[in-house]
Amino acid sequence: MRSRWMLWAAGLGFLLLAGAATAVFLTNRREVTTSSSAAYKLYKEAVENDNRFYFKEARVGYAKALQLDPHFAMAILGLARQSGDMEQASALIRRAAREEPRLTERERLRIDLELAYVDRHPEQALKIAQRLHEKFPDDPRSVSVLCHELIQNGHAEEAVKIYEDLLAIDPNNAEAYNQIGYNYGWRGDYDKAMEYLKKYQFIAPDTANPFDSLGENQAYAGHYTEAIENLNRALAIKPDFSPAYEHLGVVYEGMGDGAKAIESYRKAIELAESDGLRGKYLTEGLRAAFRARDMAAVAEFRGWFAKLPKSPYTDLRAALIDAFVSLVSGQAAQADARVTELLPKVEAKWVEIEGKSAHEKFHRPEFNWVLAKAKEAQGKTDDAARLYGINANPPNAFSDFEGRRWVIESRASLAVILAKKGNLDAAEKLIAENRKWNPSWAPTREAETTVAELRRAKVLAAAR
């Protein structure tokens, strides 16, 4: 599993230095302020679990540390990280901010960074991250923010350089190896990805996430046998590690086994460590169920989705699901109307919640994709091609496998439209670009077959 960039990634390991009424624990320029050595010990364990992606255990640890020291600002931020509720996370971050006068400079900068995001000032957050990184080059949160910004602007190599600089300071920083591996993986350099992820696995051989990271990268590259082996190794270490089940879902989708994919996503949903992750898995499970035309699973997942705590996008995503139900039920015009009405509302919510960034344009590929399918079903192929084209060439650089997946599947759908219009060269180029990333991705197999058959028919016609 790759780090969720908007969340914290705390430092590893601390040494205790004695203090008076308030103690400050320091090591290697990492600082954390608390009045309780017992709270510090619990916090340290929570940080280690956070870094392992053992989120339930991390949440419990941060909460216990706060019971012993209610003013422990970094534990408060840790708990905010683990909150699946935006309002609760915001309240926790503001609670941590009230402790700033007695904190170290590093702690204050970390809190100010989170406050900037809470107050929807991404440009200010970036400036704080730059200042934090300049003063404390080993700080993982600032590295995460700066690298995300670079990747979003199409500068992935510069992001890798920052992670490499972190490794020069801390050669055993497991998370840096993980992040570099993913950067190479989603860009299509499988060998480089494996090089770094195997180093990650060597450093942390007794934890589930390195094997999950290997498995996810192998799944998206089409190395399904190896992916299953590594994901099962992750589950052998931690049987309730939900991301491994999520990525088994990806494997089985790639192999074309819809039933196993749905069952894997179902298990991930059941084991999800937070409502935020549960919502993510439900979205993926719904997509697999739609592809498999398993309407019983669609109804099941739609029911679970309705039970999630409300979030700013809940109603809009529920409406998208309903639009897709209309589409697969043969009501393409109704689905078209619903999504056309939804898109302006989604953009308005995006601006309201996330703050409009000068470096990022509004783009919701899942809405475009459903709308394109609805247009195509009505014979409006020019409109569908335009929407698929937006997804195939997104306005923002994609920065993970999910973003790349929308590119792959939209390319394939666009290729079919182009091939049917007679532009086989352009269609085959799109298919060839996809196959560089994954030569055997089942969700695009039908499109690839259609393009190949149209080429064959054209060759036969020319030979007569």
Side-chain angles (χ1 to χ4, degrees):
M1 184 178 187
R2 187 182 184 195
S3 278
R4 294 167 289 169
W5 83 274
M6 286 299 291
L7 303 184
W8 273 64
L12 298 171
F14 299 90
L15 293 175
L16 170 61
L17 294 181
T22 298
V24 180
F25 299 95
L26 304 158
T27 184
N28 192 25
R29 290 175 295 171
R30 295 184 176 95
E31 304 175 356
V32 55
T33 303
T34 178
S35 59
S36 167
S37 59
Y40 164 71
K41 183 178 179 182
L42 287 165
Y43 172 79
K44 180 180 175 181
E45 291 170 358
V47 167
E48 290 171 350
N49 280 320
D50 220 339
N51 290 329
R52 295 185 185 110
F53 296 82
Y54 295 178
F55 300 129
K56 285 183 287 191
E57 293 84 349
R59 184 164 57 248
V60 169
Y62 291 129
K64 287 183 176 179
L66 281 174
Q67 288 175 356
L68 296 175
D69 179 3
H71 302 284
F72 194 166
M74 292 301 100
I76 296 171
L77 282 187
L79 199 58
R81 267 201 317 278
Q82 297 302 326
S83 174
D85 182 273
M86 290 180 65
E87 288 186 10
Q88 183 185 60
S90 174
L92 286 167
I93 291 166
R94 295 187 192 285
R95 175 181 164 187
R98 292 197 291 270
E99 306 295 332
E100 281 202 25
R102 67 189 191 88
L103 301 180
T104 65
E105 180 183 17
R106 186 170 189 163
E107 289 172 306
R108 292 195 301 272
L109 284 169
R110 284 179 168 179
I111 293 170
D112 289 345
L113 175 58
E114 306 309 325
L115 278 174
Y117 280 118
V118 165
D119 293 333
R120 297 168 195 154
H121 298 306
E123 302 296 336
Q124 180 183 346
L126 181 60
K127 290 178 182 177
I128 296 169
Q130 290 168 336
R131 195 182 322 144
L132 180 57
H133 185 62
E134 288 169 2
K135 287 181 171 289
F136 307 97
D138 62 338
D139 183 83
R141 174 57 170 142
S142 62
V143 167
S144 178
V145 171
L146 294 175
C147 289
H148 173 82
E149 182 72 12
L150 287 166
I151 291 166
Q152 286 294 100
N153 286 285
H155 303 299
E157 285 295 345
E158 293 180 37
V160 168
K161 175 63 168 57
I162 290 179
Y163 283 122
E164 293 280 13
D165 290 344
L166 181 58
L167 285 172
I169 298 168
D170 181 4
N172 292 318
N173 190 304
E175 182 58 13
Y177 285 113
N178 189 33
Q179 295 301 319
I180 294 172
Y182 269 97
N183 267 275
Y184 282 118
W186 55 255
R187 284 189 285 153
D189 193 334
Y190 178 76
D191 291 338
K192 270 286 192 182
M194 289 299 103
E195 176 188 339
Y196 280 90
L197 292 173
K198 286 178 180 178
K199 289 177 181 178
Y200 175 34
Q201 182 251 315
F202 178 79
I203 291 172
D206 58 343
T207 59
N209 197 62
F211 296 103
D212 175 69
S213 295
L214 283 163
E216 182 181 4
N217 277 264
Q218 289 164 334
Y220 279 106
H223 296 265
Y224 301 123
T225 301
E226 298 97 319
I228 291 171
E229 179 182 346
N230 276 309
L231 293 168
N232 282 331
R233 289 180 74 181
L235 290 168
I237 294 169
K238 196 173 193 299
D240 63 346
F241 195 64
S242 67
Y245 282 107
E246 175 199 11
H247 299 138
L248 280 170
V250 174
V251 171
Y252 292 124
E253 279 195 271
M255 294 171 67
D257 192 332
K260 283 189 176 180
I262 291 166
E263 182 54 37
S264 296
Y265 287 125
R266 182 180 286 116
K267 191 69 175 177
I269 293 162
E270 291 170 353
L271 293 173
E273 293 86 348
S274 68
D275 287 325
L277 279 177
R278 188 167 290 107
K280 179 177 186 290
Y281 301 155
L282 276 169
T283 301
E284 293 167 328
L286 276 162
R287 180 171 54 193
F290 280 127
R291 285 199 178 281
R293 293 296 188 266
D294 186 340
M295 298 312 291
V298 169
E300 175 192 359
F301 293 156
R302 176 66 177 86
W304 287 3
F305 187 89
K307 294 176 184 177
L308 288 177
K310 291 287 185 181
S311 72
Y313 291 106
T314 298
D315 291 340
L316 296 170
R317 290 201 173 278
L320 176 65
I321 293 167
D322 291 340
F324 209 166
V325 170
S326 297
L327 177 63
V328 297
S329 301
Q331 299 172 314
Q334 184 176 342
D336 185 337
R338 284 188 176 187
V339 181
T340 299
E341 180 185 358
L342 278 173
L343 270 169
K345 296 179 181 178
V346 176
E347 182 170 11
K349 183 62 69 174
W350 173 72
V351 172
E352 175 192 339
I353 296 299
E354 301 183 30
K356 194 167 184 179
S357 169
H359 304 298
E360 189 172 357
K361 295 181 180 179
F362 174 74
H363 178 58
R364 285 295 178 270
E366 66 276 27
F367 285 81
N368 290 343
W369 192 81
V370 175
L371 185 56
K373 289 294 179 187
K375 299 285 189 187
E376 197 171 6
Q378 298 173 86
K380 301 176 181 178
T381 53
D382 288 344
D383 289 341
R386 179 184 61 80
L387 290 160
Y388 288 135
I390 293 171
N391 278 4
N393 299 281
N396 309 304
F398 62 84
S399 57
D400 54 26
F401 284 118
E402 181 68 13
R404 193 182 83 175
R405 177 171 175 166
W406 288 114
V407 172
I408 290 173
E409 296 181 14
S410 295
R411 276 180 181 170
S413 295
L414 178 59
V416 172
I417 293 175
L418 293 173
K420 287 180 177 179
K421 288 179 178 291
N423 194 347
L424 281 163
D425 289 344
E428 288 169 337
K429 182 179 179 182
L430 290 170
I431 297 297
E433 288 171 350
N434 277 353
R435 292 177 67 82
K436 290 176 184 176
W437 282 334
N438 186 331
S440 58
W441 184 241
T444 62
R445 194 171 295 149
E446 183 179 351
E448 293 171 5
T449 301
T450 298
V451 172
E453 288 175 350
L454 288 168
R455 171 61 76 183
R456 191 177 302 111
K458 184 174 182 179
V459 171
L460 289 174
R464 288 176 188 154

